């Protein structure tokens, strides 16, 4: 991983600042980024992951699960929509959601009871943009870009953007290679 493009001013409102950019060169580094991000997370946090198929969203979530000390293998919840991983270390459970096959809006996700789970859990939603923002004003957006087409390029460009009061004073600029 490479250092972020530019540090941010922690006093600047999170919604107004640009995201922190990190370059990841392998799946192991993506998992490591998740492991490090887990150190910032606490019950009540919503993490929205967006990126192309195969970008590394589940690999990042695997690192988050490892860092949070949760039970069970973190795998893609594409066909079950959501998986709950209880904590093994008296921390918050990880609720891992794949909203890829869901339509728009929170209404369709209502049966998942994410609003009930949010206060006690860390909720990670893959493909959540335009679907779960109504849960909370405070969220961490993680956007993963990769080369598309017929390529074996494992380089990923990750943008971390904290929104809302929860993330206003959180220094994301410390994520380096």
């Amino acid at each position: 991983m490479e250092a972020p493009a530019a540090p941010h001013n922690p006093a600047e409102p999170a919604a107004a600042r640009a995201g922190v950019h990190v370059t990841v060169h392998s799946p192991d580094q993506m998992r490591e980024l998740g492991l490090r991000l887990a150190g910032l997370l606490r019950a009540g946090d919503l993490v929205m992951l967006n990126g192309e198929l195969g970008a590394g969203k589940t690999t990042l979530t695997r690192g988050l699960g490892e860092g949070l000390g949760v039970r069970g293998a973190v795998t893609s919840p594409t066909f079950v929509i959501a998986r709950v991983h209880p904590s093994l270390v008296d921390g918050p459970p990880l609720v891992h959601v794949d909203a890829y096959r869901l339509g728009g809006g929170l209404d369709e996700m209502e049966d998942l009871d994410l609003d009930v789970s949010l206060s006690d859990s860390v909720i990670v939603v893959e493909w959540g943009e335009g679907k779960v923002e109504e849960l909370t004003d405070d969220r961490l957006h993680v956007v993963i870009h990769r080369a598309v087409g017929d390529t074996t390029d494992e380089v990923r460009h990750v943008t971390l953007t904290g929104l809302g009061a929860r993330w206003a004073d959180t220094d994301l600029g410390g994520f380096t290679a």
Side-chain angles (χ1 to χ4, degrees), residues 26-115:
S26 69
D28 284 340
Q29 284 187 351
M30 185 65 77
R31 187 192 58 74
E32 176 68 26
L33 177 61
L35 185 67
R36 293 180 58 219
L37 275 172
L40 296 178
L41 298 178
R42 61 185 186 218
D45 282 343
L46 172 64
V47 180
M48 292 175 45
L49 301 179
N50 290 289
E52 297 88 3
L53 286 170
K57 297 177 294 295
T58 300
T59 301
L60 181 82
T61 306
R62 200 168 287 128
L64 291 173
E66 183 180 338
L68 291 170
V70 300
R71 183 179 72 209
V74 175
T75 60
S76 177
T78 298
F79 297 105
V80 295
I81 309 298
R83 293 184 199 278
V84 177
H85 298 274
S87 177
L88 295 172
V89 295
D90 200 31
L94 172 67
V95 178
H96 184 198
V97 179
D98 186 329
Y100 181 75
R101 294 185 303 134
L102 300 177
L106 193 56
D107 290 341
E108 188 171 332
M109 299 183 73
E110 191 172 271
D111 289 340
L112 298 177
D113 287 332
L114 295 181
D115 54 340

Side-chain angles (χ1 to χ4, degrees), residues 122-137:
V122 170
I123 297 181
V124 176
V125 182
E126 297 186 25
W127 305 97
E129 193 167 343
K131 299 175 183 170
V132 295
E133 289 90 341
E134 295 173 35
L135 282 173
T136 179
D137 291 334

